Amino acid sequence: MEFMISAIIFFILLYTVIPYFLSRSLGVNVVKRGRDLSKIAFTFDDGPNPVYTPILLDLLKKNEVKATFFVVGTKAEKYPELIQRMHNEGHLIGIHNYVHHSNWFMSPWKVRNGVKNTAKVIKSITGVTPIYYRPPWGMLNLFDFMRRGKYKI
Ligand SMILES: [Zn+2]
């Protein structure tokens, strides 16, 4: 019984905390920062939002700034005109899961299908396949960490 509990705890840690620590703290298998320390990158998560995204896009346009938007698939489906606007105005669009759930509490195949669906939604609107993926809260699970596929995290 004690062995079973230890084994379960080990697998939970292996699936969640260990990949999180390696990617967040040590930057293993993820793009954490660029080489040029004199530049910064603006990234915005969780949209598109019908109220705030247009205001943000106006502000970026006014200041001639390009950004990366990590969008949620269900919201991209709901507000395709905002995804189209991001694309038309020269911003990069990345994936932030199909629904805003932590990868720690989803199976590997549910995460993979969600990422694939979101990529499909973005491509159907913009014609461009996204190459960047940012999981909600940076919480990678073991399978995301080991098998990044075609996306840069
Ligand atoms: Zn988020």
Side-chain angles (χ1 to χ4, degrees):
M1 188 63 186
E2 239 174 69
F3 172 76
M4 279 299 289
I5 291 169
S6 300
I8 290 168
I9 290 170
F10 172 76
F11 283 111
I12 289 171
L13 291 176
L14 187 66
Y15 191 73
T16 59
V17 176
I18 293 170
Y20 181 76
F21 174 76
L22 289 171
S23 60
R24 286 291 286 233
S25 300
L26 304 179
V28 178
N29 285 357
V30 299
V31 178
K32 234 181 144 184
R33 58 176 57 97
R35 291 191 189 112
D36 191 340
L37 298 177
S38 67
K39 294 176 180 169
I40 59 168
F42 287 104
T43 65
F44 300 96
D45 298 356
D46 303 352
N49 176 287
V51 174
Y52 300 109
T53 303
I55 296 169
L56 180 57
L57 286 168
D58 289 345
L59 195 64
L60 292 169
K61 194 178 197 175
K62 188 178 156 200
N63 291 285
E64 296 177 22
V65 172
K66 303 299 177 201
T68 302
F69 289 86
F70 288 94
V71 302
V72 176
T74 51
K75 292 182 181 177
E77 279 177 334
K78 204 168 173 188
Y79 307 107
E81 67 286 353
L82 292 173
I83 300 295
Q84 187 66 61
R85 186 175 164 199
M86 288 170 187
H87 177 70
N88 291 349
E89 295 180 7
H91 304 293
L92 203 58
I93 302 168
I95 300 163
H96 195 53
N97 277 1
Y98 188 67
V99 287
H100 200 277
H101 293 165
S102 167
N103 293 9
W104 287 9
F105 305 111
M106 291 194 284
S107 66
W109 44 93
K110 183 159 187 188
V111 173
R112 195 172 312 152
N113 284 340
V115 169
K116 203 190 291 177
N117 281 343
T118 306
K120 213 181 287 176
V121 170
I122 294 167
K123 191 179 179 192
S124 74
I125 299 165
T126 65
V128 177
T129 303
I131 58 166
Y132 291 98
Y133 170 54
R134 173 183 282 169
W137 304 286
M139 292 167 131
L140 294 172
N141 68 39
L142 180 67
F143 289 80
D144 309 324
F145 182 75
M146 298 299 288
R147 200 169 168 274
R148 286 164 293 155
K150 53 190 167 186
Y151 302 104
K152 288 183 180 176
I153 298 176

